């Protein structure tokens, strides 16, 4: 087994390995590299058949990242930064996965990762301060530290729709897409869900399928990616300026080198406002959230941004009665993640694409041959389908860990610890779970920022903290319950200053029935978070108990 091949790091260590890393996506891969480089013995487990996490599983046509590739890439090695060439501004999933495979090869990461193996349990033993990690292949090994790099958007959500199991055609989920691809040519395809995944997928399916029915519960804001190939000159410039680009990103709110306009929405005249909106719209995708500093805080400001977006959306749709159903009406723009698309709304101008508004005509059930929706007159409309695609998202931020039997002090499970609302100190540790670390955990900027940089930051902090303990011959670190509570309160207060709590979003846990409604992230920005984390650490790990 993996344990046998791992030499003990230091005399007197009584565990199989120093660290177990859960997950080999962007965060887990770097954790293996960094912790191993610090002289620790590391064993990673990955449920997928290879590295890549999100980019390994989400292979649906049209999948791309909504952060520019030049930013959504590792910064830990300048040689890596300089040698890798991105072909376009927003790379496709296959290119991002190729990059991650390149990283795994270049740094020889796979030798510390066991694939096709899902961690099912992690139990803390108080008597000897060790963790025992168990997997679905029967492996069980002990370690001093656990690093959960299990992802913020990895626990796949299938909605509980009556009859779902009985569909006789092909069932797919965007986040568990078949590796050989799916044959949609000349098929009647249904897509449930119009979040980022659904909206990226729709134009691709529309081109391929005989007929596409989109089942939309909530219309979403989506902004063209403004994607384009990266030219040689641009690439040279980007590489020459990488250090400065990274420096700006680390000071920014979202982890990429973009800042909002200098003035607030309501401080500029109509002409200037329109110019600023056009500029940020043209930058593409989520960057529109950053047009004005007050856009995510002030409802009147947000309403003006919504008006602009609505005009843009209506502009590209031929039939304005279809546009009526596609224009979002129930949430401020940006409070659900703005989607980055390539021709989404235009898809509805095609003869083979049909929109079903589930607010008006809800799904009644899935049948063996398709989906039945209420027809509005007490009857049922049947939509015949060969393929049914769930683009219904994830149990976000907490779901991956919540599904694992994680037990800390007193045999308390993480599920119990989070039952009344998620708790974490800094998104890095949970009280009662000594030496267990989370990467991009709840209470950190996580998915609100560029996940490659946030992952590197968290892994570096974890490695630094383990180094701190070892050099002082200390055994364990965990947050004080009081510090944790204060931190979550602060996250809640920060969120209250924004419009985020106004949407039924996965940020709020609202997409999962029964999940506590809490804004799960730190919303004051990546740069501000880094500052706070550094202050706390430099003040001798304030709020942590170290023994
Ligand atoms: O998931 P989602 P996603 N009946 O939860 C609908 C990142 N990402 O996979 O809004 C009918 O956003 C649900 O409807 P509603 C990105 O951060 C990025 O699309 O709950 N419909 C919604 O429309 C993103 O935000 C990219 O009313 C049901 C959809 O399913 C995050 O991942 C690409 C339903 C789910 O949307 C998640 O995106 C992909 C039901 N019972 C993902 N249940 C990039 O571009 C759910 N829905 C980088």
């Amino acid at each position: 087994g993996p344990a046998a091949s791992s030499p003990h790091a230091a005399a007197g260590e009584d565990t199989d390995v120093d660290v177990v890393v859960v997950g080999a996506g962007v965060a887990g891969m770097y954790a293996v590299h960094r912790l191993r480089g610090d002289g620790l013995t590391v064993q990673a487990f990955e449920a997928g058949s290879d590295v890549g996490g999100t980019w390994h599983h989400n292979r649906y046509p049209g999948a791309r990242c909504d952060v520019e590739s030049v930013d959504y890439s590792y910064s830990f090695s300048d040689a890596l930064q300089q040698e890798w060439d991105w072909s376009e501004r927003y790379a496709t999933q296959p290119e991002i996965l190729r990059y991650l495979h390149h990283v795994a090869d270049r740094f020889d990461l796979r030798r510390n990762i066991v694939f096709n193996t899902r961690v099912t349990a992690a139990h803390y033993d108080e008597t000897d301060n060790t963790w025992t990690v168990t997997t679905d292949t029967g492996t069980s090994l002990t370690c001093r530290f656990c690093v959960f790099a299990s992802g913020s958007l990895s626990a796949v959500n299938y909605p509980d729709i009556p009859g779902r199991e009985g569909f006789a055609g092909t069932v797919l989920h965007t986040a568990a897409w078949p590796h050989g691809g799916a044959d949609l040519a000349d098929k009647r395809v249904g897509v449930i869900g119009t979040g980022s995944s659904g909206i990226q997928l729709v134009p691709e399916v529309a081109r391929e399928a005989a007929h596409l029915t989109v089942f939309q519960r909530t219309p979403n804001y989506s902004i063209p990616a403004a994607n384009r190939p990266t030219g040689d000159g641009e690439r040279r410039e980007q590489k020459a300026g990488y250090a400065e680009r990274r420096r700006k990103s680390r000071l920014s709110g979202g982890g990429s080198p973009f800042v909002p306009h200098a003035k607030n929405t309501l401080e500029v005249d109509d002409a200037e406002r329109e110019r600023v909106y056009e500029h940020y719209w043209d930058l593409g995708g989520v960057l529109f959230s950053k047009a004005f500093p007050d856009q995510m805080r002030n409802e009147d400001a947000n309403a003006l941004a919504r008006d602009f977006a609505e005009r843009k959306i209506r502009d590209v749709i031929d039939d304005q009665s279809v546009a009526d159903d596609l224009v979002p009406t129930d949430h401020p723009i940006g409070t659900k993640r703005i989607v980055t698309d390539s021709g989404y709304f235009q898809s509805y101008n095609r003869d083979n694409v049909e929109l079903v508004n589930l607010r008006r005509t809800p799904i009644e059930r899935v049948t063996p041959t398709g989906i039945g929706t209420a027809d509005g007159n007490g009857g049922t409309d049947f939509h015949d389908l060969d393929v049914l695609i769930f683009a219904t998202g994830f149990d976000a931020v907490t779901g991956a860990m919540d599904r694992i039997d994680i037990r800390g002090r007193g045999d308390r499970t993480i599920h119990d610890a989070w039952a009344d609302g998620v708790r974490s100190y800094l998104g890095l540790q949970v009280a009662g779970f000594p030496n267990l670390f989370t990467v991009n955990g709840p209470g950190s900027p996580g998915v609100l920022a560029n996940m490659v940089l946030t992952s590197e930051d968290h892994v570096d902090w974890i490695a630094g903290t383990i180094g701190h303990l070892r050099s002082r011959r200390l055994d364990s670190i965990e947050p004080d319950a009081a510090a944790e509570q204060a931190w979550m309160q602060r996250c809640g207060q920060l969120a209250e200053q924004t419009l985020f709590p106004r949407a039924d979003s996965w940020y709020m846990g609202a997409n999962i029935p029964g999940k506590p409604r809490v804004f799960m992230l730190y919303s004051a920005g990546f740069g501000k978070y880094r500052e706070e984390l550094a202050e706390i650490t430099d003040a001798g790990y304030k709020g942590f108990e170290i023994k």
Side-chain angles (χ1 to χ4, degrees):
S5 60
S6 306
H8 289 194
E13 287 287 347
D14 51 358
T15 53
D16 293 326
V17 290
D18 294 318
V19 193
V20 165
V21 174
V22 184
V26 166
M29 289 170 65
Y30 178 55
V32 167
H33 176 69
R34 172 68 213 259
L35 296 167
R36 199 176 65 183
D38 283 5
L40 298 160
T41 54
V42 180
Q43 182 62 60
F45 293 108
E46 166 56 51
S49 58
D50 206 335
V51 296
T54 287
W55 304 105
H56 178 82
H57 294 290
N58 290 262
R59 296 174 186 236
Y60 60 86
R64 286 173 198 275
C65 187
D66 60 2
V67 178
E68 283 186 68
S69 303
V70 59
D71 299 315
Y72 190 88
S73 47
Y74 289 114
S75 70
F76 70 83
S77 157
D78 190 50
L80 171 66
Q81 253 177 191
Q82 296 298 331
E83 78 200 10
W84 184 264
D85 291 335
W86 292 106
S87 73
E88 10 175 28
R89 192 162 167 235
Y90 294 97
T92 58
Q93 171 272 330
E95 185 169 350
I96 298 171
L97 190 60
R98 261 199 315 281
Y99 166 75
L100 294 174
H101 282 192
H102 168 74
V103 173
D105 292 340
R106 192 186 194 290
F107 298 97
D108 190 16
L109 301 181
R110 290 189 186 85
R111 74 183 152 91
N112 293 85
I113 307 169
V114 176
F115 295 101
N116 300 305
T117 304
R118 186 177 287 280
V119 168
T120 51
H123 292 176
Y124 179 66
D125 185 334
E126 280 180 68
T127 55
D128 62 0
N129 183 39
T130 58
W131 284 89
T132 302
V133 176
T134 309
T135 74
D136 64 353
T137 59
T139 316
S140 184
L141 82 174
T142 57
C143 57
R144 183 72 65 212
F145 304 99
C146 282
V147 176
F148 276 81
S150 44
S152 301
L153 293 159
S154 54
V156 174
N157 173 44
Y158 285 95
D160 200 5
I161 300 173
R164 179 167 72 79
E165 305 290 335
F167 182 66
T170 305
V171 176
L172 300 169
H173 195 294
T174 45
W177 203 258
H179 285 198
D183 179 18
L184 305 176
D186 306 322
K187 299 282 190 333
R188 295 163 307 175
V189 179
V191 172
I192 302 179
T194 50
S196 296
S197 303
I199 284 179
Q200 288 189 329
L201 174 77
V202 158
E204 304 285 330
V205 178
R207 275 191 283 275
E208 215 183 320
H211 190 267
L212 167 61
T213 313
V214 181
F215 298 90
Q216 171 193 272
R217 188 162 67 181
T218 311
N220 234 331
Y221 287 105
S222 186
I223 295 179
N227 198 20
R228 49 177 164 70
T230 308
D232 286 342
E234 184 182 10
R235 200 177 291 125
R236 264 197 305 278
E237 227 169 82
Q238 284 173 348
K239 286 185 181 182
Y242 234 137
E244 178 61 6
R245 192 170 180 114
R246 299 298 198 177
R247 193 187 65 81
K248 280 188 184 154
S249 299
R250 291 196 175 95
L251 292 171
S252 74
S256 60
F258 295 96
V259 290
H261 189 63
K263 290 185 198 145
N264 278 325
T265 310
L266 304 171
E267 289 168 355
V268 300
D269 63 24
D270 291 354
E272 182 174 352
R273 192 178 308 122
E274 197 75 5
R275 262 200 317 277
V276 171
Y277 284 149
E278 286 288 355
H279 172 70
Y280 284 86
W281 188 273
D282 290 343
L283 284 178
V286 283
L287 293 174
F288 187 73
S289 301
K290 305 231 180 308
F292 288 100
D294 58 347
Q295 191 166 307
M296 285 299 292
R297 296 172 175 274
N298 177 317
E299 215 176 326
D300 297 332
N302 193 279
L304 289 167
R306 289 178 69 174
D307 287 344
F308 180 86
E310 174 165 352
R311 277 185 273 139
K312 287 283 190 188
I313 293 171
R314 288 190 179 276
D315 229 27
V316 298
I317 302 170
D318 294 345
D319 180 342
Q320 287 305 303
S321 70
V322 175
D324 291 343
D325 283 340
L326 287 167
V327 172
T329 53
D330 78 332
H331 62 278
I333 189 167
T335 55
K336 287 187 156 195
R337 191 175 183 87
I338 294 178
V339 181
T340 305
D341 77 274
S342 305
Y344 172 66
F345 292 113
Q346 291 88 335
S347 300
Y348 295 94
N349 298 335
R350 300 173 62 104
D351 292 336
N352 68 332
V353 178
E354 182 189 349
L355 179 69
V356 176
N357 180 338
L358 299 180
R359 296 275 178 219
R360 222 170 23 238
T361 58
I363 295 179
E364 290 181 337
R365 59 185 181 279
V366 177
T367 71
T369 55
I371 288 185
T373 53
D375 71 0
N377 299 309
T380 303
D381 273 331
F382 288 101
H383 307 270
D384 291 336
L385 305 170
D386 305 306
V387 182
L388 176 54
I389 303 175
F390 287 89
T392 46
F394 306 88
D395 183 349
V397 184
T398 54
M401 290 180 70
D402 196 48
R403 291 177 185 188
I404 300 172
D405 177 20
I406 301 170
R407 293 172 195 231
R409 271 183 210 291
D411 224 22
R412 181 145 199 248
T413 63
I414 200 94
H415 179 82
D416 278 350
W418 288 347
D420 300 327
V422 67
R423 302 189 288 106
S424 165
Y425 189 39
L426 297 157
L428 282 161
Q429 282 210 293
V430 182
F433 298 82
N435 292 348
L436 182 150
F437 299 100
T438 55
V439 182
N440 294 315
S444 73
V447 280
L448 294 180
N450 172 358
M451 297 287 274
V452 182
L453 295 191
T454 61
S455 299
E456 285 183 333
D457 254 29
H458 268 186
V459 169
D460 285 339
W461 186 89
I462 293 164
T465 299
I466 293 175
H468 176 90
L469 294 181
R470 287 166 66 93
S471 67
R472 288 164 183 74
R473 303 204 157 275
L474 296 164
D475 292 322
S476 79
I477 177 165
E478 76 180 286
D480 301 333
E484 180 181 79
Q485 195 183 352
W487 181 256
M488 289 322 281
Q489 245 161 24
R490 178 160 158 62
C491 288
Q493 282 158 0
L494 289 171
E496 285 305 326
Q497 292 163 23
T498 73
L499 300 172
F500 277 117
R502 301 277 310 280
D504 289 329
S505 64
W506 58 255
Y507 294 132
M508 298 293 299
N511 64 328
I512 302 298
K515 192 166 175 174
R517 193 185 166 94
V518 177
F519 187 78
M520 295 187 283
L521 303 159
Y522 171 94
S523 56
F526 181 50
K528 180 81 186 123
Y529 172 83
R530 298 185 82 244
E531 226 174 80
E532 293 203 45
L533 179 59
E535 273 169 24
I536 286 169
T537 310
D538 294 347
Y541 288 89
K542 209 165 120 201
F544 288 95
E545 201 178 299
I546 301 185
K547 288 197 292 228

